[in-house]
Amino acid sequence: MSNCSSLKGPESNAIFLSLALAVSLFCPSLVSANDQQSTYEIELDIQWTQDRMPYEYPLQAHMSGLIGLTHNTRFSLFQDGDTASSGLELVAENGRSGILRAQFEELERRDRIGAIIDGKGLKNVPGTISARFETTRSHPLLSVVTMLAPSPDWFTGVSAVNLLKDDQWIDSIQQTLWVWDAGTDSGPTFTSKNADTQPRQSVRLLATPHFFNNNGLIGIGTIKIKRIDS
């Protein structure tokens, strides 16, 4: 009797279907692991330059370290109109991710998130930030953030990008990176002194002249998300 292999010779449809069912039940090694999990690489192409965004362009412009996660629909890292968490506030104001990471670890215990994602920052811009991560069908949404520095509380990133489409892992996707205001500091420009906003305002797209012109909002770059185990 063969073991986990195709039958040879003529068989009826009923026998063939029965065999297929048996293979799926008793030979799980023949079922692609990629169906349940997948590996992705992300690259943030940061195009924050004085030529593109000249208004009050700061000296020593840079980006903080990247932090993010994969998660389900029971979590949101940021969203237009929401109030920033204390963890997001610290990332947006000074690039510190310790509190946000602690929040992630608590959510991980409650099975709301999957992988925690880290990427090195940029000491100078423009440049690229990259990271690699694994995700599963139970946590198919991707969110990442990085601070614009110096700035009062401005950051960029993406929130809840679904890596599943029509129940299949997407191969690649690219999105514009916009600049967001965390609503936690009222400073009007890059080098403003700390001015804590009380009560906190909602997270919103930044529409000041720093990243806005006659054509509308200016994207600070793009994020490319690519599946690497397809």
Side-chain angles (χ1 to χ4, degrees):
M1 180 176 179
S2 62
N3 180 29
C4 295
S5 61
S6 300
L7 291 177
K8 299 182 181 297
E11 302 99 355
S12 68
N13 288 339
I15 294 175
F16 181 80
L17 291 174
S18 296
L19 177 62
L21 178 60
V23 167
S24 67
L25 291 174
F26 299 107
C27 300
S29 62
L30 298 184
V31 180
S32 172
N34 289 343
D35 184 57
Q36 296 302 319
Q37 65 184 40
S38 194
T39 304
Y40 281 87
E41 185 173 65
I42 57 174
E43 182 180 273
L44 282 71
D45 182 13
I46 303 297
Q47 293 299 320
W48 183 16
T49 66
Q50 189 167 13
D51 288 341
R52 296 186 66 237
M53 300 94 163
Y55 186 76
E56 296 184 340
Y57 188 83
L59 296 175
Q60 300 178 333
H62 61 284
M63 307 296 295
S64 75
L66 182 80
I67 184 167
L69 72 165
T70 62
H71 56 96
N72 59 26
T73 57
R74 299 179 65 191
F75 172 79
S76 175
L77 181 55
F78 70 91
Q79 185 173 309
D80 187 28
D82 284 356
T83 301
S85 68
S86 56
L88 179 60
E89 176 185 12
L90 285 176
V91 171
E93 290 186 4
N94 56 37
R96 292 167 52 192
S97 60
I99 297 297
L100 190 59
R101 186 178 301 277
Q103 292 173 347
F104 288 174
E105 291 171 354
E106 173 59 27
L107 291 166
E108 190 174 22
R109 287 191 287 270
R110 295 157 63 185
D111 198 36
R112 294 190 182 183
I113 74 169
I116 298 176
I117 301 165
D118 291 290
K120 293 183 179 180
L122 292 175
K123 293 182 179 180
N124 299 286
V125 291
T128 60
I129 302 172
S130 61
R132 184 174 293 190
F133 62 93
E134 292 184 353
T135 190
T136 62
R137 285 182 173 270
S138 57
H139 303 98
L141 306 180
L142 169 70
S143 299
V144 295
V145 291
T146 175
M147 175 199 179
L148 281 69
S151 76
D153 60 344
W154 302 343
F155 68 95
T156 191
V158 294
S159 182
V161 177
N162 197 341
L163 301 178
L164 284 173
K165 183 178 181 180
D166 298 328
D167 205 36
Q168 299 293 323
W169 294 113
I170 63 170
D171 289 326
S172 64
I173 188 173
Q174 180 172 309
Q175 292 190 0
T176 300
L177 290 170
W178 306 107
V179 180
W180 293 82
D181 186 327
T184 59
D185 191 296
S186 298
T189 191
F190 294 106
T191 55
S192 297
K193 294 182 179 180
N194 289 337
D196 194 39
T197 302
Q198 292 294 339
R200 293 182 183 178
Q201 297 179 358
S202 59
V203 175
R204 61 194 183 279
L205 286 167
L206 186 67
T208 62
H210 306 92
F211 297 97
F212 189 89
N213 59 25
N214 292 334
N215 296 319
L217 292 174
I218 307 171
I220 197 172
T222 58
I223 180 171
K224 301 174 184 177
I225 307 166
K226 183 180 180 181
R227 187 182 179 200
I228 59 175
D229 65 352
S230 57

